Amino acid sequence: MEKMAKDLHVMMLPWSAFGHLIPFFHLSIALAKAGVKISFVSTPKNIQRLPKIPSNLETLINFVEFSLPTPQDESLPEGAEATVDIPPEKIPFLKIAYDLLQYPLNKFVADQRPDWIIIDLVSHWMVDISRENNVPLLYFSVFSAASFLFLGHPGCLAGDSQKNLRPSWESMTSPPEWVDFPSSVAFRKHEAIGAFEWIYGTNASGISDAERVATILNSCQGMVIRSCTEFEGDYLTSLNKIMKKPVVPLGLLPIVKPKARQITDGSWGEIFDWLDQQKRKSVIFVSFGSEFKLTRDQVYEIAYGLELSGLPFLWALRKPNWAIDDVDALPLGFSQRTRGKGIVSIGWAPQMEILGHPSIGGSLFHSGWGSIIETLEFGHSLILLPFIIDQPLNARYLVEKGLGVEVERSEDGSFSRDGIAKALRVAMVREEGKELRARANEAAKIFGDEKLHQEHYIGKFVEFLKSYYEDHKDC
């Protein structure tokens, strides 16, 4: 008998980084809206930090908590459960602890018998668990199709020496041979050196990220990706060619836009009062997320660049670990010189409500795929300052599409206040950025189309999940 959506039970297992946890959460919400039952698996602290489930979906989404095993060598700080809790050099030790979750998860899968397991790039050991329990497995890429196509050829990740696909960092400074159409998506030298080591380098966990992903890609029943043909058609077509198994676009999983201002008091109430006084589409929103830790020099150059641009700004700054206090996090006298022209808020920020405010016109940010989607939902101009992993690849693609301005950098990757100010003025006010602003506004019709992404893409994905059982009913 054909399975109905309400009969489907999907287990979600994201990697312990919020750039992964949040897209998995958004996919869970989208599937629950379609009637699918979800078991969202993570650690207690990570689950506590996720957004609240809409009340009408609470019966369909079950948070399943497993405590992260504590390494006996104290290689992880107490209470660390996600990459945001630790410096970059500690991430391999988080993977060691995360890998130990395979033992309780094996029992969970055997007991619960979900219809599908959807995993991330780290949990290669779920391949054996899914096979032992006869549960089909999907790999969910939280990256754009453009960046995953560049990074994710299975043979490349497996280190196929016969094809010699990725022999060195130099090979990552141009589009790979399997991209069969004009593309500017590639790393620059300073980015490629770090990316090559990140993907293929040995680490304390004993297995490279490339080996993890290759194991999953070569064994899963298919791949799903947060993308749509309306925006990344060529890249999705090429992904289908190289994967040789189903590649299912999920749509962009846009967050439902806030219908009205939710915050009216406290410091954020005052900030929104200030935003209310600014001209429409005049303010730059600045945010670099939580994963990459900016150095003092980087924070100060961004600050001086904002000041030099002369444009109004709202900067949601995560307190740097090098700063003694909030005052130390910014250049001396910066707050006084920019008073009335801009605001820096240190700590948590209501990002979607900020982006949805009529006075916001552009965003200076790290080019993470999730933030790109959120920003283009509102048609804002993009000022791109990428740092790690897929961010540089996303930036190249957005510039290629005429949707963003990338901050100029020196060969060593450094940037200056002049480069920040120039990129801001081009994106926000200069005549040469007029077409960019128009394209960003036009892109909102795709990125903000909830019906397209929920009813069309998620609807088709649910049909894919159900059809597997019809196709394999005699197996």
Side-chain angles (χ1 to χ4, degrees), residues 303 306-307 313 333-344:
L306 287 167
E307 184 179 355
F313 64 87
F334 173 78
S335 297
Q336 290 75 21
R337 293 192 303 272
T338 59
R339 181 172 288 122
K341 193 69 175 178
I343 293 176
V344 179

Side-chain angles (χ1 to χ4, degrees), residues 9-77:
H9 175 200
V10 176
M11 172 184 158
M12 298 279 187
L13 180 62
W15 163 232
S16 290
F18 276 86
H20 296 250
L21 286 154
I22 295 298
F24 269 75
F25 178 81
H26 291 160
L27 177 55
S28 298
I29 294 293
L31 287 174
K33 286 180 179 178
V36 178
K37 178 184 175 183
I38 302 295
S39 289
F40 189 104
V41 179
S42 191
T43 62
K45 187 176 178 181
N46 287 341
I47 288 173
Q48 289 168 10
R49 293 184 283 191
L50 289 172
K52 292 186 180 298
I53 301 171
S55 57
N56 62 318
L57 301 178
E58 288 178 347
T59 58
L60 287 167
I61 300 177
N62 180 37
F63 285 130
V64 182
E65 299 181 1
F66 286 99
S67 296
L68 192 70
T70 305
Q72 295 183 349
D73 59 1
E74 299 182 354
S75 53
L76 282 179

Side-chain angles (χ1 to χ4, degrees), residues 156-438:
C156 160
L157 291 167
D160 190 334
S161 58
Q162 292 181 336
K163 292 185 178 180
N164 201 31
L165 295 174
R166 284 287 194 248
S168 64
W169 66 261
E170 288 91 348
S171 66
M172 303 182 81
T173 59
S174 59
E177 61 188 45
W178 56 86
V179 178
D180 56 1
F181 55 88
S183 172
S184 60
V185 176
F187 289 116
R188 293 176 181 145
K189 178 181 176 180
H190 70 275
E191 300 159 343
I193 293 170
F196 189 80
E197 177 60 27
W198 161 65
I199 296 169
Y200 300 103
T202 57
N203 61 66
S205 75
I207 181 169
S208 70
D209 285 356
E211 292 173 287
R212 290 175 185 268
V213 178
T215 299
I216 296 167
L217 289 181
N218 287 307
S219 303
C220 64
Q221 276 63 54
M223 170 183 165
V224 294
I225 185 165
R226 190 182 187 184
S227 186
C228 65
T229 57
E230 289 79 3
F231 189 68
E232 295 193 282
D234 289 346
Y235 290 91
L236 284 166
T237 297
S238 288
L239 262 181
N240 270 288
K241 290 178 184 176
I242 67 167
M243 286 298 295
K244 298 178 181 176
K245 60 179 62 180
V247 176
V248 183
L250 297 169
L252 297 170
L253 305 175
I255 301 173
V256 176
K257 298 176 183 178
K259 291 183 172 59
R261 178 170 161 183
Q262 304 293 315
I263 301 172
T264 57
D265 53 13
S267 61
W268 274 106
E270 295 175 6
I271 291 171
F272 279 107
D273 288 341
W274 176 81
L275 283 174
D276 290 343
Q277 298 167 26
Q278 309 307 308
K279 294 179 181 178
R280 186 179 183 278
K281 286 282 188 179
S282 67
V283 180
I284 303 153
F285 177 52
V286 185
S287 176
F288 289 91
S290 58
E291 295 297 330
F292 183 77
K293 280 71 173 177
L294 296 166
T295 66
R296 183 187 295 271
D297 286 346
Q298 289 169 336
V299 170
Y300 280 23
E301 284 303 305
I302 292 168
Y304 287 128
L306 287 167
E307 184 179 355
L308 192 60
S309 77
L311 298 169
F313 64 87
L314 170 56
W315 188 357
L317 175 63
R318 182 179 177 83
K319 183 181 177 182
N321 54 16
W322 44 260
I324 299 170
D325 52 29
D326 289 358
V327 174
D328 187 45
L330 294 165
L332 185 65
F334 173 78
S335 297
Q336 290 75 21
R337 293 192 303 272
T338 59
R339 181 172 288 122
K341 193 69 175 178
I343 293 176
V344 179
S345 177
I346 296 180
W348 172 84
Q351 181 153 314
M352 287 302 289
E353 192 164 349
I354 294 168
L355 289 170
H357 196 282
S359 69
I360 300 295
S363 184
L364 170 62
F365 69 118
H366 51 44
S367 311
W369 185 227
S371 294
I372 290 167
I373 292 168
E374 291 174 2
T375 304
L376 285 179
E377 275 190 64
F378 297 95
H380 299 324
S381 301
L382 307 177
I383 305 96
L384 311 165
L385 186 58
F387 290 100
I388 56 172
I389 312 175
D390 62 319
Q391 295 169 5
L393 304 175
N394 292 333
R396 307 295 119 76
Y397 182 55
L398 290 166
V399 172
E400 179 182 290
K401 297 273 284 188
L403 283 167
V405 177
E406 187 171 355
V407 175
E408 294 175 358
R409 272 183 153 105
S410 301
E411 190 172 334
D412 64 359
S414 61
F415 57 89
S416 70
R417 63 196 71 180
D418 292 325
I420 294 283
K422 178 184 175 182
L424 290 171
R425 288 196 290 260
V426 167
M428 295 293 291
V429 295
R430 283 188 181 173
E431 181 66 22
E432 62 194 282
K434 185 176 180 180
E435 287 189 16
L436 179 151
R437 294 189 287 275

